[in-house]
């Protein structure tokens, strides 16, 4: 069964460092998303991406964050200068269509900023 | 209540009993999905119910949707210890999913 894969599963980084979280969405999907879940809290929407551009972003997704689809398969989330409060589980998701369809989530990358 | 808010927040039952979790939301939706998350792990999609559907079954899972009340319920029948997890509803609109706080289900063997 096709699945969304994320790497690494766990990333530890020093405060102020840049991190890139990687995702490989399902191959025929066109819509891509990043979500974040701080430990013990709900899953929060960060950004959606379609046709090589951001289609929607939340207020969490400030100038420190960027997304890119560098090639035909990868979808990345970059945090330029990490803060302690960026520590969270980051989920990538993809869907075939925008509307009435299931979004498939990856297993997540646990980011720990020290 | 918030978009995609579940209740109860925590539920503890004995193996073999049924577990019912509820979700309420505020705005119009395309569909509503239920996810399961084991502690510290990824999200597992359980079931999707579209806005024009009222009930859906998948194995031991039964989901209902009442768009007039903006609410949904997830019923797990004949629960097992392995069902212990957090369960989230997520409302989808224009592709974006909005998650609730989740219900933590504990099934005691």
């Amino acid at each position: 069964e096709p699945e969304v894969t994320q790497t690494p599963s766990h990333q530890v980084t020093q405060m102020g460092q840049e991190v890139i979280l990687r995702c490989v969405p399902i191959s025929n999907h066109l819509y891509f998303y990043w979500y974040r879940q701080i430990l013990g809290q709900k899953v929060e929407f960060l950004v959606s991406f379609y046709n090589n551009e951001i289609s929607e972003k939340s207020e969490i997704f400030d100038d420190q964050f960027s997304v890119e689809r560098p090639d035909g398969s990868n979808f990345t989330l970059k945090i330029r200068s990490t803060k302690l409060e960026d520590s969270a589980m980051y989920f990538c998701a993809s869907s075939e269509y925008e509307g009435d369809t299931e979004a498939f989530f990856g297993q997540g990358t646990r980011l720990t900023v020290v | 209540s918030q978009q995609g808010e579940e209740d109860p927040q925590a539920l503890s039952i004995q193996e073999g009993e049924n577990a019912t979790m509820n979700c309420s939301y505020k705005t119009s939706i395309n569909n509503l999905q239920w996810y399961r998350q084991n502690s510290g792990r990824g999200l597992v999609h359980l079931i999707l119910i579209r806005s024009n559907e009222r009930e859906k079954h998948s194995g031991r899972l039964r989901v209902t949707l009442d768009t007039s009340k903006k609410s949904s319920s997830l019923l797990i029948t004949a629960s097992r210890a392995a069902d212990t997890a957090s369960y989230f509803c997520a409302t989808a609109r224009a592709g974006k999913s909005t998650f609730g706080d989740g219900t933590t289900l504990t099934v005691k063997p």
Side-chain angles (χ1 to χ4, degrees):
Chain A
E1 189 175 326
E3 58 179 14
V4 176
T5 56
Q6 290 185 242
T7 55
S9 56
H10 190 189
Q11 171 103 38
V12 181
T13 189
Q14 296 254 334
M15 193 168 56
Q17 294 294 305
E18 174 184 285
V19 293
I20 297 176
L21 310 183
R22 301 180 192 280
C23 169
V24 179
I26 293 173
S27 61
N28 64 329
H29 285 186
L30 301 176
Y31 295 85
F32 314 114
Y33 314 88
W34 283 101
Y35 291 81
R36 176 182 87 173
Q37 185 183 33
I38 294 171
L39 187 65
Q41 298 186 24
K42 67 168 73 176
V43 178
E44 301 171 291
F45 169 78
L46 290 178
V47 65
S48 58
F49 190 87
Y50 168 71
N51 200 26
N52 282 319
E53 60 183 31
I54 290 172
S55 44
E56 188 175 351
K57 60 182 180 179
S58 72
E59 57 190 32
I60 302 168
F61 194 88
D62 61 23
D63 292 342
Q64 292 295 324
F65 292 90
S66 62
V67 288
E68 195 178 29
R69 190 152 161 82
D71 53 44
S73 59
N74 290 287
F75 179 51
T76 62
L77 174 70
K78 182 193 288 187
I79 309 174
R80 275 185 248 290
S81 177
T82 50
K83 308 183 193 81
L84 294 176
E85 54 265 37
D86 293 327
S87 295
M89 184 80 101
Y90 288 81
F91 293 104
C92 172
S94 69
S95 63
E96 195 172 357
Y97 309 109
E98 184 180 34
D100 184 27
T101 189
E102 175 185 344
F104 290 78
F105 281 77
Q107 287 297 302
T109 292
R110 179 169 298 284
L111 176 66
T112 303
V113 183
V114 296
Chain B
S1 58
Q2 297 176 21
Q3 184 80 351
E5 186 174 271
E6 293 92 339
D7 84 270
Q9 289 187 325
L11 181 61
S12 182
I13 59 175
Q14 290 295 135
E15 206 165 28
E17 293 179 340
N18 295 342
T20 300
M21 289 160 267
N22 302 296
C23 166
S24 59
Y25 59 92
K26 278 186 169 177
T27 63
S28 63
I29 59 172
N30 295 120
N31 61 62
L32 184 144
Q33 302 182 57
W34 284 90
Y35 291 85
R36 167 198 165 121
Q37 184 181 38
N38 286 61
S39 181
R41 305 293 297 275
L43 293 163
V44 175
H45 183 264
L46 295 176
I47 200 162
L48 178 154
I49 186 163
R50 293 185 170 82
S51 59
N52 61 352
E53 296 176 312
R54 292 295 166 258
E55 188 171 310
K56 207 158 182 182
H57 297 253
S58 176
R60 293 183 297 114
L61 306 179
R62 174 177 161 244
V63 168
T64 62
L65 179 64
D66 186 335
T67 52
S68 66
K69 294 181 180 175
K70 292 187 168 59
S71 68
S72 173
S73 68
L74 170 68
L75 168 67
I76 303 174
T77 60
S79 63
R80 305 166 183 166
D83 294 329
T84 294
S86 291
Y87 292 82
F88 296 89
C89 71
T91 52
R93 190 161 183 244
K96 170 186 157 186
S97 294
T98 302
F99 286 79
D101 292 313
T103 292
T104 300
L105 174 66
T106 303
V107 182
K108 300 177 207 170

